[in-house]
Amino acid sequence: MPYLFNTPDQKNEMLETIGARSVDELFQQIPAPLRLDRPLDLPAPRCELELEAEIRQLAASNANTANRVCMMGGGAYDHFIPSAIDEIASRGEFYTAYTPYQAEASQGTLQAFFEYQSLICRLTGMDVSNASLYEGATAVSEAAFMAMRVKNRYDRVVMLGSVHPEYREVLETYCSNLPTEIVTVPTPNGVADPDAVREAMSESTACLVIQHPNFFGCLEDAKTLTDIAHEFGALAVVSFDPISLGLLQKPGEYGVDIAVAEGQSLGVPLQYGGPYLGILACRQKFLRKMPGRLIGTTVDRDGKPSYVLNLQAREQHIRRDKATSNICTNQGLLALRATVYLSLMGPQGLREVAELCCQKAHYAAEQLTQIDGLELMFSGPFFKEFAIRCEHDPTEILEKAQAAGFDVGPNLKQFSTIDSGNGFLVAITEKHTKADIDRLVNVLRG
Amino acid sequence: MRNTLATQSLFELSHAGRRATQLPECDVPARPLDELLPAESLAEAPPELPEITEPDVIRHFVNLSTLNMSVDTHFYPLGSCTMKYNPKRHERFAGMPGIVDLHPYAPESVSQGMLQIMFEMQQMLGEIAGLPAVSLQPAAGAQGEFAALLTAAAYFRDKGEDRRKVLFPSSAHGTNPASAALAGFETVQLEESPGGLVSIDELQSHLDDQTAVFMITNPNTLGLFERDIKEISKRLHDVGGLVYIDGANMNAILGITRPGDFGGDMMHYNVHKTFTGPHGAGGPGAGPIAVRDFLGDYLPGPIVTQSEDGTYQLTDPPKSIGRMRSFFGNVGILLRGYFYLRTLGPDGLRAVSENAVLNANYLKALLKDVLPVPHGEFCMHEFVASAKALKTDRNVSAMDIAKRLLDFGFHAPTVYFPLVVAEAMMMEPTETESKETLDAFADTIKTIVTEDPEFLRNAPHSTPVNRPDEVHAARNPVLQWVSGPA
């Protein structure tokens, strides 16, 4: 066992100090009938060398971006990750530390989270950001719960049909033992129709949940929809793509109350869906209703500027069943990655990434739709992702791409809550070259 | 020594015109942006992010990292947190091509390796729990609690029962009542018995046909095994309720006893505690749940199943409560747990708990004269000492000792939790600490308690800051950089 220190001699010395005859005696609190009388049925141990060989083999049977091109979207994207991020996030002083409850022993982490909050505020144009949540879908649910508390309206949440179907499923799960009704506004044209949204809203609606750009990659008329939410006294919750804010208006600029996002694009690897980064920022007046951890500045005994966990009185370890959420963690290491990412990109870099995504996605859409049988599913503007409609089930097309080393999708058929016929998503990032796109087009044409 | 640049904020380091990244030229025919996107949706300027070069970014964050205590640099006996060593091999394995860069919607045909690992992880967690049905979805222990409570609610609804009450002891983690409230249940807190264990009489007085779930941590937060757990479970089952085991303290009982065997119906794991996913300064963790067979159909999906031909696929349990989060789960953390279990095997895993319990009892014995432990003769993997006498005799608090420990290069124990012990100091050395470390730590505490009380009340003396004013922070919240801290 490579991680245990005590030698047999030391164990005996320790037992003597304790006043016990054996290690087994230390377990005497556990009644004998409750003890397991056999070894656990687990695989035999493997040393590092053996295990590495095995994992390498299993990993090789998975798709990877080193020898394939990943143009898959649907909420997780193959963006470029600068090397400096791994270098910083792999420092043990960051990743093996705990929640910074002892501020004196955690100023590094606290300052990094404070900088994260500051960057998210600047990115979104919102007043306050927490220090992160689990991921994009739970961030939407937390925002909806927060809106219910703010408005004291627990009956109804309205969500657009163009929001990521898994985000909707999560909110439904979160509300499954509550009387809250979740109303979905259909979006047959890929974006919301303001009149249909108005119809679904009511005076008892806590919030309207918008995704912009949405699940299909399309831009919503976010300002109009935000205004509609406010007409009914509800909060406007917008789930945004952080990369898109290199080009698009900030949620704060069009009046959003709670801005949430999946932050995976900000330097977090795909790693089969998690862990990712939940972003949540809001207006100042809702501060005390926010879920999650907050870092603030203060002064220490000597008047020295310092950082601390702030407003903990909202949290579960103080307020128990009256807390703003049950969350006990943030995604610290991923918030750190996002902080480093935004620092490395700066305003110009983020803009260039966004422009590259947008230009290349439009080129890809143009080329792909020249293939017989493929057309854009929706006519509205899109940012880096778009939906393609096919004449038949797209499985065959996607398999053809896959055989040639291109992972494209997801196939929209896999989402039971979406009724868009035969279609699939394509997501283009700054990593994809014209040659990649042309090659895919040739494969699908042939 | 550091100069003042070292801890300047990113915003102070910024200079217009500097940058760290270079991106490729656009290699497709570029079109005017306003042809691609509606003019009214465009920002006038990109967000005001700092403008910094890569060397400055590196120096900034490396300097910040050195202001932290961490498992890699310090003994971190933080009770209830299981701050054990995080093996380096896990970081490398989790970063392999095909693992770190696999898209969550990659077809099953090109994800078989990943699905096999996750399937085996489900199997192993089911065996360790003695609860065979496992969902790896929950993103953290608290989300695991929430998922299990929704699972219980779905089960009762399916049976046509409307049960509204969730019970928990007063020593429960704050997440237990918070999760129960979030799931729409009424919460009922039980009073602690004098011995620090759940009182069966007190429990019985709250049990009725409205009782849905009893949430209990075993071993409990005092480091004691609830020896009546079988009877407690029986009482719950007699009224048709379920027993939830908060798995935060699983490190004490791996391979020794199993929640499924001592009466639990559902539990969550904290993979970042028990199975060495690093804590990441507060996350990410992973909170998979394991339940009895009859609850398996309600679990959050997707889960991994294996076909007769040996291939793996993602499946939703037939009566699933639905998703808890997007995609599969916190795979990156689950993988680290998987690597750990595969390294240890059954005997190694049992040895982990034996050594964790030995270390805790040894430290407890070393400290008993200066920091007595009010509850229990032996403890499990952690214990709660009390500084009450020191507070009374010398006006030295648990917090004073905790802060002074930082000066000696030891992280502080958990203080003031659980609330049922006055001046609580909750210590969990874990199995990955040597006798020498425990001796040095105990010697340090023995030195500290002889120091001048005034000096202790002003500790720490050598850390970058000294007792930041939390009340001031809460009264005037400054939560983003404006013109400099405070």
Side-chain angles (χ1 to χ4, degrees):
Chain A
M1 245 306 272
Y3 320 127
L4 297 179
F5 289 91
N6 303 323
T7 63
D9 283 352
Q10 283 182 318
K11 279 190 195 176
N12 287 335
E13 278 176 58
M14 292 164 82
L15 285 167
E16 203 170 308
T17 305
I18 295 166
R21 282 181 305 278
S22 65
V23 171
D24 204 44
E25 193 182 328
L26 303 176
F27 287 95
Q28 66 181 227
Q29 310 173 59
I30 303 178
L34 302 187
R35 306 246 194 123
L36 192 63
D37 55 5
R38 61 166 175 86
L40 287 168
D41 183 14
L42 299 177
R46 310 212 79 179
C47 67
E48 180 169 1
L49 183 62
E50 295 168 312
L51 191 57
E52 176 167 356
E54 192 184 321
I55 301 301
R56 204 170 278 287
Q57 204 172 6
L58 286 171
S61 71
N62 296 329
N64 73 75
T65 53
N67 55 23
R68 301 177 66 81
V69 179
C70 177
M71 294 178 176
M72 300 197 97
Y77 304 95
D78 184 22
H79 283 288
F80 167 62
I81 301 177
S83 312
I85 297 181
D86 280 339
E87 199 60 39
I88 290 165
S90 63
R91 285 191 67 89
E93 298 93 329
F94 280 128
Y95 83 83
T96 74
Y98 193 66
T99 303
Y101 288 126
Q102 294 287 342
E104 292 91 342
S106 320
Q107 284 296 299
T109 285
L110 287 163
Q111 185 173 336
F113 290 174
F114 180 79
E115 290 176 350
Y116 165 83
Q117 291 173 183
S118 309
L119 290 169
I120 296 300
C121 288
R122 288 175 174 225
L123 187 68
T124 57
M126 304 301 288
D127 303 321
V128 216
S129 162
N130 69 14
S132 78
L133 299 174
Y134 302 141
E135 45 77 72
T138 49
V140 165
S141 291
E142 292 289 344
F145 276 55
M146 182 179 156
M148 292 185 218
R149 286 193 300 276
V150 165
K151 303 307 292 186
N152 199 21
R153 296 178 178 180
Y154 295 89
D155 299 344
R156 182 190 276 235
V157 169
V158 176
M159 189 179 257
L160 303 185
S162 52
V163 174
H164 195 304
E166 294 189 0
Y167 294 12
R168 274 190 283 159
E169 288 170 38
V170 171
L171 181 59
E172 276 160 20
T173 308
Y174 265 54
C175 293
S176 60
N177 202 35
L178 299 175
T180 313
E181 183 191 11
I182 299 157
V183 178
T184 302
V185 184
T187 50
N189 300 320
V191 292
D193 166 14
D195 290 335
V197 175
R198 250 186 218 104
E199 213 154 290
M201 294 293 290
S202 72
E203 302 294 333
S204 64
T205 302
C207 62
L208 171 66
V209 181
I210 303 157
Q211 187 177 356
H212 170 65
N214 67 28
F215 176 66
F216 305 108
C218 301
L219 304 194
E220 299 280 355
D221 185 353
K223 169 82 172 84
T224 302
L225 297 172
T226 298
D227 291 346
I228 293 174
H230 293 157
E231 276 171 38
F232 289 87
L235 297 192
V237 174
V238 166
S239 171
F240 61 93
D241 171 353
I243 297 294
S244 74
L245 297 184
L247 280 176
L248 300 181
Q249 271 195 338
K250 302 168 191 166
E253 285 174 316
Y254 50 84
V256 164
D257 300 289
I258 308 174
V260 293
E262 171 53 72
Q264 180 267 328
S265 298
L266 304 176
V268 177
L270 287 166
Q271 46 192 350
Y272 203 57
Y276 286 174
L277 172 69
I279 295 173
L280 187 146
C282 70
R283 297 212 243 159
Q284 182 72 35
K285 60 180 171 184
F286 307 137
L287 168 63
R288 283 164 205 268
K289 307 274 188 194
M290 275 181 112
R293 185 163 294 154
L294 294 164
I295 312 302
T297 59
T298 187
V299 287
D300 76 352
R301 278 195 180 167
D302 309 319
K304 204 170 169 188
S306 41
Y307 299 91
V308 285
L309 290 175
N310 204 352
L311 299 168
Q312 294 184 69
R314 301 163 303 114
E315 294 189 65
Q316 45 72 30
H317 61 278
I318 311 276
R319 289 274 281 166
R320 299 173 80 85
D321 56 340
K322 303 283 190 298
T324 53
S325 82
N326 69 334
I327 288 174
C328 179
T329 55
N330 65 332
Q331 305 297 283
L333 200 62
L334 308 174
L336 176 71
R337 292 185 75 97
T339 309
V340 180
Y341 180 87
L342 291 170
S343 311
L344 290 169
M345 285 296 155
Q348 210 47 45
L350 189 69
R351 187 180 187 94
E352 286 172 20
V353 170
E355 282 194 33
L356 286 169
C357 291
C358 189
Q359 291 286 359
K360 291 180 186 223
H362 282 80
Y363 174 77
E366 206 177 78
Q367 298 298 311
L368 283 167
T369 52
Q370 282 173 19
I371 298 171
D372 281 348
L374 300 188
E375 57 178 8
L376 276 180
M377 190 172 271
F378 305 114
S379 57
F382 62 89
F383 168 59
K384 74 178 181 195
E385 187 168 14
F386 50 90
I388 295 271
R389 176 180 286 130
C390 335
E391 285 170 344
H392 309 290
D393 184 330
T395 306
E396 203 180 311
I397 296 168
L398 296 178
E399 281 175 359
K400 200 163 155 188
Q402 202 189 309
F406 291 88
D407 295 316
V408 180
N411 185 341
L412 292 175
K413 276 219 161 14
Q414 77 184 69
F415 304 99
S416 59
T417 51
I418 291 184
D419 179 24
S420 355
N422 296 311
F424 62 91
L425 296 179
V426 182
I428 304 293
T429 72
E430 72 282 7
K431 277 178 83 170
H432 301 127
T433 62
K434 178 171 180 294
D436 291 332
I437 297 166
D438 292 344
R439 219 148 44 80
L440 173 66
V441 170
N442 278 333
V443 166
L444 295 188
R445 188 178 278 140
Chain B
M1 280 305 289
R2 288 188 189 84
N3 60 44
T4 52
L5 291 173
T7 52
Q8 272 193 332
S9 83
L10 287 173
F11 307 94
E12 291 165 290
L13 291 168
S14 174
H15 278 272
R18 285 189 186 159
R19 58 181 302 175
T21 36
Q22 194 178 5
L23 291 152
E25 291 292 318
C26 186
D27 61 355
V28 301
R31 291 163 55 187
L33 270 179
D34 54 7
E35 261 179 40
L36 306 179
L37 302 170
E40 65 272 16
S41 68
L42 293 174
E44 280 175 21
E48 291 167 40
L49 303 175
E51 299 176 61
I52 316 178
T53 62
E54 182 172 318
D56 258 355
V57 170
I58 292 288
R59 188 173 287 169
H60 174 71
F61 287 103
V62 170
N63 272 314
L64 286 190
S65 77
T66 64
L67 302 179
N68 278 354
M69 282 188 170
S70 67
V71 173
D72 274 3
T73 53
H74 294 82
F75 177 44
Y76 221 103
L78 206 55
S80 208
C81 301
T82 313
M83 299 296 286
K84 60 170 81 174
Y85 171 68
N86 307 116
K88 298 302 163 192
R89 63 185 68 172
H90 298 175
E91 304 307 309
R92 193 149 63 97
F93 296 170
M96 281 184 188
I99 300 272
V100 75
D101 53 3
L102 182 63
H103 193 284
Y105 288 140
E108 285 160 358
S109 58
V110 289
S111 322
Q112 285 296 304
M114 181 65 89
L115 292 172
Q116 182 182 330
I117 291 174
M118 292 299 114
F119 180 78
E120 291 175 5
M121 185 63 172
Q122 288 173 187
Q123 306 274 80
M124 291 193 288
L125 294 181
E127 165 68 5
I128 295 165
L131 296 167
V134 174
S135 170
L136 301 178
Q137 260 238 324
Q143 213 199 16
E145 293 173 16
F146 183 43
L149 289 166
L150 293 177
T151 299
Y155 162 73
F156 289 125
R157 210 163 31 240
D158 210 17
K159 289 207 328 177
E161 296 178 16
D162 180 32
R163 291 173 178 260
R164 306 303 315 165
K165 270 195 329 195
V166 170
L167 320 181
F168 48 85
S170 52
S171 63
H173 295 112
T175 50
N176 292 180
S179 297
L182 191 65
F185 288 104
E186 291 163 27
T187 56
V188 181
Q189 182 166 310
L190 309 186
E191 291 315 309
E192 208 74 28
S193 77
L197 298 173
V198 168
S199 147
I200 292 184
D201 290 343
E202 162 78 357
L203 174 69
Q204 186 66 47
S205 71
H206 294 283
L207 293 179
D208 54 29
D209 61 2
Q210 278 292 295
T211 306
V213 178
F214 179 47
M215 303 181 82
I216 178 169
T217 310
N218 195 24
N220 68 22
T221 57
L222 290 167
L224 303 177
F225 192 85
E226 298 277 357
R227 55 175 82 229
D228 295 329
I229 187 71
K230 196 88 186 175
E231 178 63 20
I232 290 169
S233 303
K234 183 179 176 300
R235 300 287 178 107
L236 258 293
H237 296 151
D238 283 349
V239 296
L242 298 173
V243 176
Y244 182 83
I245 305 294
D246 179 326
N249 292 343
M250 281 298 285
N251 207 48
I253 56 172
L254 300 168
I256 290 162
T257 181
R258 307 191 302 172
D261 296 345
F262 60 64
D265 301 297
M266 315 182 277
M267 70 163 286
H268 77 260
Y269 287 97
N270 297 93
V271 175
H272 50 291
K273 293 181 183 177
T274 313
F275 305 128
T276 66
H279 287 68
I289 54 176
V291 299
R292 282 196 198 284
D293 274 332
F294 66 89
L295 294 167
D297 286 354
Y298 305 92
L299 283 177
I303 60 172
V304 185
T305 51
Q306 189 176 22
S307 300
E308 276 175 19
D309 67 1
T311 57
Y312 300 93
Q313 54 276 313
L314 294 174
T315 311
D316 283 324
K319 297 173 182 174
S320 174
I321 56 165
R323 296 186 153 275
M324 293 305 297
R325 47 155 292 158
S326 57
F327 310 121
F328 185 75
N330 276 2
V331 173
I333 304 303
L334 294 165
L335 284 166
R336 287 163 173 86
Y338 174 85
F339 303 143
Y340 184 67
L341 292 173
R342 293 295 314 278
T343 301
L344 293 174
D347 296 341
L349 206 60
R350 190 184 161 101
V352 161
S353 286
E354 288 179 348
N355 280 278
V357 172
L358 176 63
N359 275 358
N361 278 287
Y362 179 64
L363 186 60
K364 174 173 174 275
L366 293 179
L367 291 175
K368 67 175 189 288
D369 294 335
V370 287
L371 289 172
V373 174
H375 298 286
E377 185 191 354
F378 295 130
C379 63
M380 299 297 284
H381 69 310
E382 65 188 358
F383 59 91
V384 183
S386 172
K388 190 178 168 192
L390 279 163
K391 180 77 181 164
T392 314
D393 300 347
R394 310 192 62 221
N395 197 19
V396 170
S397 69
M399 187 63 89
D400 297 333
I401 300 169
K403 294 296 186 194
R404 181 66 179 137
L405 274 167
L406 305 178
D407 284 330
F408 287 93
F410 292 110
H411 195 278
T414 297
V415 287
Y416 303 117
F417 181 83
L419 304 169
V420 291
V421 173
E423 295 295 322
M425 301 193 76
M426 186 183 201
M427 306 195 197
E428 180 181 8
T430 83
E431 72 282 4
T432 59
E433 293 301 331
S434 65
K435 177 177 178 295
E436 297 91 303
T437 300
L438 304 182
D439 288 340
F441 179 76
D443 286 347
T444 301
I445 288 197
K446 286 177 190 164
T447 303
I448 288 174
V449 298
T450 64
E451 290 184 315
D452 171 40
E454 185 59 25
F455 183 70
L456 292 177
R457 283 192 290 277
N458 288 319
H461 299 278
S462 62
T463 47
V465 298
N466 174 6
R467 300 206 194 191
D469 185 348
E470 293 186 25
V471 176
H472 171 82
R475 212 168 278 155
N476 316 284
V478 179
L479 304 170
Q480 63 163 310
W481 193 82
V482 190
S483 61

